[in-house]
Amino acid sequence: RPWANRSEIVKELYSDLNVIKSSAGNTVTCGNLCYVLFFGWWLSVIYVLVSVLMFLTVVGAPYGKLCWKLAGYFFWPFGMAIQKTREYNHNCHVRFSKYDTIAEVNESKEGTPLLIRQEPARKDLADSHWRHFSTYVWLFLGYPVVCLAHGLVCCLSWVLIFAIPVSKMNARMVTKVLLLPPDRVLVQRLR
């Protein structure tokens, strides 16, 4: 069947999860209550337990904070969104050699640049995340437990045909969101 002839519900099932839709009405529906009954409450409990475990390790506290936020999200994800924050390089700086100078206003021509040469920042933020000890504490203690829980939810929700979007959400969580640095994940309520 051609894509244009399909219903909006079918198109949404095949769509990517990167479009954020605000909830136009009440989020308390039969399907949402079924989600909480079948998946939400126990995923939330697992995230709370992993959060406590991460806080007990002390170095895993940033991941404990993330798991605490995700526990609330997975209990009732309706009307909420998980977003990746922008990446800023806090170590960005410009180095001047001792021979580079900024010309005085009366000496320079209008087209003369103020900065002669810029060196790029040396450290990539994506690489620095994998150099932290807390990342390995997360990968060995918290991530396997949460990954197993999301895998079970993914399989169970795939069997229940109406819950395929839940399955897609859980697969995306394991492969994308949980491998980001905890300060790059933002859980917020939609307006």
Side-chain angles (χ1 to χ4, degrees), residues 69-84:
K69 290 178 187 176
L70 290 175
Y73 174 80
F74 279 109
F75 184 74
W76 192 261
F78 313 105
M80 297 179 78
I82 297 176
Q83 294 180 331
K84 182 166 85 170

Side-chain angles (χ1 to χ4, degrees), residues 17 20 24-25 40 60 67 86 102 105 112 131 134 139 164 175 184:
L17 294 175
I20 298 175
C67 287
R86 289 189 177 187
I102 299 175
V105 176
T112 307
R131 293 180 185 155
S134 63
L139 288 175
I164 288 176
T175 59
R184 300 262 331 267

Side-chain angles (χ1 to χ4, degrees), residues 122-167:
R122 293 182 178 184
K123 191 164 98 169
D124 187 23
L125 284 178
D127 291 339
S128 69
H129 165 64
W130 297 104
R131 293 180 185 155
H132 293 179
F133 182 66
S134 63
T135 303
Y136 294 102
V137 169
W138 165 249
L139 288 175
F140 289 118
L141 293 179
Y143 185 74
V145 174
V146 172
C147 195
L148 180 66
H150 281 292
L152 287 172
V153 168
C154 200
C155 291
L156 288 174
S157 61
W158 198 266
V159 169
L160 302 171
I161 301 299
F162 69 90
I164 288 176
V166 174
S167 181

Side-chain angles (χ1 to χ4, degrees), residues 42-58 60-68 70-71 137-150 178:
W42 64 275
L43 261 179
S44 183
V45 167
I46 289 172
Y47 268 98
V48 166
L49 293 175
V50 170
S51 175
V52 169
L53 178 68
M54 289 292 106
F55 278 121
L56 287 176
T57 63
V58 180
Y63 288 98
K65 187 177 175 183
L66 174 65
C67 287
W68 187 259
L70 290 175
V137 169
W138 165 249
L139 288 175
F140 289 118
L141 293 179
Y143 185 74
V145 174
V146 172
C147 195
L148 180 66
H150 281 292
L178 293 177

Side-chain angles (χ1 to χ4, degrees), residues 27-39:
T27 58
V28 180
T29 63
C30 183
N32 294 355
L33 292 175
C34 286
Y35 166 82
V36 171
L37 180 67
F38 291 132
F39 309 115

